[in-house]
Amino acid sequence: MSRRRGEFEHRTSIFEGAFRAWSHLGGLDPEDLESKSQDSLDPLSNPIQNDDRMTGKLKEAASSDPSRRVYPYEPLPRSGLAHPFVQAILSPWLGPDADNDAIQLGLTTLRTWWQHRRKGESGSAVAALGTEKMKGVVEGYTRHFFQLGHCLILNDKEQPPRSLSARMKELDKMRSKGGRKKER
């Protein structure tokens, strides 16, 4: 986490890619997650239309500039470093030689960034990630983190984003009610 040249762009591109992927996962329909291929759910080529999480300022931002995609906020997994998605966000930024103090500081930085991102992208982040090169880097991270999150949720049964988790629980309730016969 040195103050080397380009560190802000590097960190922000990783965090932004992870944020976009986690947001996209949170907006998916649980049945689509189970039945469709990962490629057909890709956040870059198949954005969610009419996302019910888009309210207030997010809706205004999306309608004011249709060419710019807006991503609704999805909280980080509550389990923090115990969740592989969070570990995967910190790994490319901190590198393999990070000690425990650096990892804890990195987690604090990630949580702070994620909370600030809830209010929208900062002007400095928009400027830093606005070049064609950095747009490609963020898209690469978005696709990487989406594929990772998709696998973690479906294959490893890790905790999904909260919005998706709520819809998955609702679907499970509906399925279990539909399987029972009414007794009279």
Side-chain angles (χ1 to χ4, degrees):
M1 287 192 325
S2 68
R3 288 280 169 208
R4 66 179 168 66
R5 187 180 159 151
E7 194 271 337
F8 176 78
E9 290 86 354
H10 177 67
R11 179 189 69 219
T12 306
S13 64
I14 294 167
F15 288 5
E16 183 64 27
F19 181 88
R20 291 176 181 186
W22 198 244
S23 173
H24 185 76
L25 281 163
L28 292 176
D29 183 284
E31 290 179 325
D32 288 347
L33 193 64
E34 295 171 355
S35 64
K36 292 185 177 179
S37 72
Q38 196 178 72
D39 290 341
S40 67
L41 298 173
D42 182 83
L44 301 176
S45 53
N46 298 305
I48 298 169
Q49 303 299 322
N50 302 320
D51 193 331
D52 61 353
R53 299 171 300 157
M54 297 283 263
T55 58
K57 289 183 181 180
L58 279 179
K59 242 183 193 174
E60 289 174 26
S63 62
S64 68
D65 185 0
S67 65
R68 188 169 173 78
R69 184 124 177 258
V70 178
Y71 293 86
Y73 175 79
E74 274 297 329
L76 275 170
R78 288 186 177 135
S79 54
L81 281 174
H83 199 287
F85 191 81
V86 174
Q87 293 172 16
I89 296 169
L90 294 175
S91 294
W93 173 40
L94 299 176
D97 301 330
D99 62 8
N100 196 38
D101 289 343
I103 292 168
Q104 289 303 319
L105 181 60
L107 180 59
T108 301
T109 304
L110 173 61
R111 285 180 172 152
T112 302
W113 183 93
W114 207 273
Q115 283 299 318
H116 286 283
R117 181 60 176 83
R118 180 181 208 161
K119 297 173 185 144
E121 284 184 89
S122 72
S124 56
V126 170
L129 303 178
T131 66
E132 284 305 311
K133 176 186 174 195
M134 291 310 293
K135 284 179 186 175
V137 170
V138 172
E139 287 178 358
Y141 278 123
T142 301
R143 194 163 270 138
H144 164 76
F145 284 117
F146 172 75
Q147 291 170 348
L148 173 70
H150 186 272
C151 288
L152 289 171
I153 293 164
L154 279 185
N155 301 342
D156 299 346
K157 306 299 181 209
E158 290 290 343
Q159 175 189 1
R162 279 190 214 161
S163 298
L164 177 59
S165 179
R167 287 194 298 280
M168 289 170 91
K169 287 177 185 172
E170 199 60 40
L171 182 62
D172 286 344
K173 281 182 191 176
M174 301 259 299
R175 286 178 176 166
S176 64
K177 283 182 182 178
R180 293 187 212 144
K181 292 182 180 178
K182 292 183 180 179
E183 294 180 26
R184 291 189 175 188

